[in-house]
């Protein structure tokens, strides 16, 4: 990941927004090392507010599995406070949330943020735009929906070959309504999809593990789509997901695009985002 000094980046955004001083005049007014740091943080954005820490937005933008180890290292009484203040993240999601004041909640989140020993990527609003940028605006559940639908590309060619209606029904009963809709949309397409070599009959022998196997295939396709992405972009996507899925992706994402696979997977993700927004065929 690129290293960023928040203070320098914030100053760069302030200069972008308000400064009317020519670069050479600025170079004479501040130390050389500060000028070099500003040059290293040259960005086109001019909204300093994106650098402001918003506690509740930060807490909901990162899956709790990344934060729980930090909470679990705290003193037991403080752990209990976090569980009661944020049961969805650190306690029993079914427990009622203790009505701490907004100020108290923000203090607790600020303390957690300070205690969390991880270098963070720049804010999403500062990242360069590219094909996968819409993923930054999605929640964990929405990204999981994309993963589940990506697996339909591995299933579609196998399904074209099945004539046994009982076998078809056995497959469909393991799919969500959205997966069934998307699979039917793919089956209507004339073009063939590149898929992994899978056997529906063999997968069905796993019983209830069938959806999990499909989900893993979808994760693999997402890793192709994300190969070649910047470290900062990946940081946000991985931290939106839970640790287990993030580790799988980290193990499969390549530094460079995977020939043939990455361009195809990029298009597939874009089609699925469109499908989920419009509920129409890609």
């Amino acid at each position: 990941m690129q290293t960023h000094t928040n203070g320098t980046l914030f100053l760069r955004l302030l200069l972008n927004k308000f400064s009317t001083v020519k670069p050479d005049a600025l170079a004479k007014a501040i130390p050389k090392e500060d000028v070099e740091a500003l040059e290293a943080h040259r960005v086109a954005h001019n909204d300093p507010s994106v650098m402001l820490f918003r506690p509740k937005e930060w807490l909901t933008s990162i899956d709790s599995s990344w934060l729980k180890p930090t909470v679990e290292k705290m003193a037991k009484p403080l752990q209990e406070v976090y569980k009661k203040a944020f049961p969805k993240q650190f306690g029993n999601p079914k427990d009622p949330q203790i009505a701490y004041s907004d100020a108290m909640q923000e203090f607790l989140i600020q303390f957690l943020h300070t205690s969390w020993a991880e270098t963070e990527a720049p804010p999403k609003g500062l990242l360069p735009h590219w094909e996968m940028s819409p993923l930054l605006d999605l929640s964990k559940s929405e990204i999981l929906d994309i993963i589940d639908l990506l697996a339909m590309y591995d299933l579609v060619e196998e399904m074209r070959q099945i004539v046994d209606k009982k076998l078809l029904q056995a497959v469909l009963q393991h799919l969500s309504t959205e997966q069934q809709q998307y699979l039917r949309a793919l089956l209507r397409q004339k073009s063939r999809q590149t898929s992994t070599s899978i056997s529906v009959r063999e997968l069905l022998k796993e019983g209830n593990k069938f959806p999990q196997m499909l989900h893993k295939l979808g994760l693999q396709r997402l890793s192709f789509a994300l190969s070649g992405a910047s470290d900062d972009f990946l940081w946000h996507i991985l931290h939106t997901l839970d640790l287990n899925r993030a580790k799988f992706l980290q193990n499969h994402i390549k530094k460079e695009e995977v020939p043939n696979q990455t361009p195809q997977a990029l298009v597939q993700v874009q089609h699925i985002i469109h499908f989920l927004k419009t509920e129409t065929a890609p």
Side-chain angles (χ1 to χ4, degrees):
M1 181 182 300
Q2 300 175 7
T3 57
H4 294 265
T5 303
N6 287 343
T8 305
L9 188 53
F10 186 64
L11 178 57
R12 164 54 64 193
L13 294 172
L14 286 172
L15 291 171
N16 288 352
K17 187 173 182 66
F18 299 111
S19 178
T20 58
V21 178
K22 294 182 179 180
D24 56 343
L26 182 65
K28 296 176 182 178
I30 62 177
K32 180 181 178 181
E33 58 269 23
D34 292 339
V35 174
E36 293 174 348
L38 284 171
E39 287 300 314
H41 290 78
R42 185 167 290 280
V43 294
H45 300 274
N46 63 356
D47 182 8
S49 68
V50 300
M51 294 296 298
L52 298 179
F53 180 69
R54 297 176 173 85
K56 292 184 179 179
E57 289 182 19
W58 175 81
L59 182 62
T60 56
S61 69
I62 296 177
D63 188 78
S64 60
S65 60
W66 293 88
L67 303 172
K68 281 181 178 178
T70 300
V71 173
E72 290 169 354
K73 291 178 182 178
M74 296 177 181
K76 290 293 183 181
L78 190 53
Q79 289 185 38
E80 290 304 312
V81 171
Y82 276 95
K83 290 178 182 179
K84 292 176 181 178
F86 311 105
K88 182 178 179 182
Q89 287 86 0
F90 307 115
N92 186 340
K94 295 181 180 180
D95 288 345
Q97 183 176 10
I98 301 298
Y100 289 103
S101 67
D102 287 344
M104 183 60 178
Q105 288 186 27
E106 292 193 359
F107 170 81
L108 289 170
I109 299 172
Q110 286 269 15
F111 182 76
L112 174 60
H113 181 250
T114 303
S115 304
W116 191 45
E118 181 164 344
T119 302
E120 297 182 52
K124 296 176 182 179
L126 295 181
L127 301 187
H129 184 82
W130 71 300
E131 296 107 312
M132 292 294 98
S133 290
L135 289 178
L136 293 172
D137 299 323
L138 302 182
S139 65
K140 175 183 177 180
S141 63
E142 289 171 326
I143 295 178
L144 294 184
D145 287 340
I146 290 174
I147 293 169
D148 285 332
L149 293 185
L150 279 171
M152 298 303 96
Y153 286 97
D154 290 292
L155 195 58
V156 62
E157 296 306 324
E158 178 79 1
M159 294 293 283
R160 292 184 194 278
Q161 312 302 320
I162 297 176
V163 294
D164 185 338
K165 290 185 178 181
K166 289 185 178 180
L167 182 57
L168 286 172
Q169 190 59 40
V171 173
L172 292 176
Q173 73 178 6
H174 286 290
L175 304 181
S176 68
T177 301
E178 283 182 340
Q179 284 178 311
Q180 292 182 34
Q181 291 173 345
Y182 198 69
L183 179 60
R184 291 190 181 101
L186 293 179
L187 287 168
R188 289 196 295 268
Q189 292 182 352
K190 294 181 180 180
S191 60
R192 292 294 190 261
Q193 306 293 333
T194 301
S195 62
T196 55
S197 178
I198 64 170
S199 169
V200 169
R201 292 182 185 276
E202 290 300 317
L203 287 177
L204 285 173
K205 290 180 181 179
E206 298 294 330
N208 292 333
K209 292 184 179 179
F210 182 71
Q212 298 174 24
M213 302 291 287
L214 287 180
H215 191 76
K216 190 173 181 179
L217 292 172
L219 277 169
Q220 179 65 68
R221 283 192 177 264
L222 182 60
S223 74
F224 288 140
L226 295 176
S227 291
S230 72
D231 290 342
D232 292 334
F233 179 88
L234 292 175
W235 190 95
H236 285 289
I237 300 303
L238 295 177
H239 285 76
T240 301
L241 296 171
D242 55 273
L243 270 169
N244 287 336
R245 291 183 176 90
K247 287 179 179 178
F248 179 95
L249 289 171
Q250 285 176 316
N251 290 333
H252 290 81
I253 293 171
K254 307 301 181 185
K255 284 292 183 182
E256 304 295 333
E257 290 190 3
V258 181
N260 300 321
Q261 296 280 14
T262 295
Q264 185 182 63
L266 287 172
V267 172
Q268 291 167 355
V269 171
Q270 291 172 321
H271 281 175
I272 290 172
I273 292 175
H274 176 74
F275 172 82
L276 292 172
K277 286 182 177 180
T278 63
E279 296 184 355
T280 58

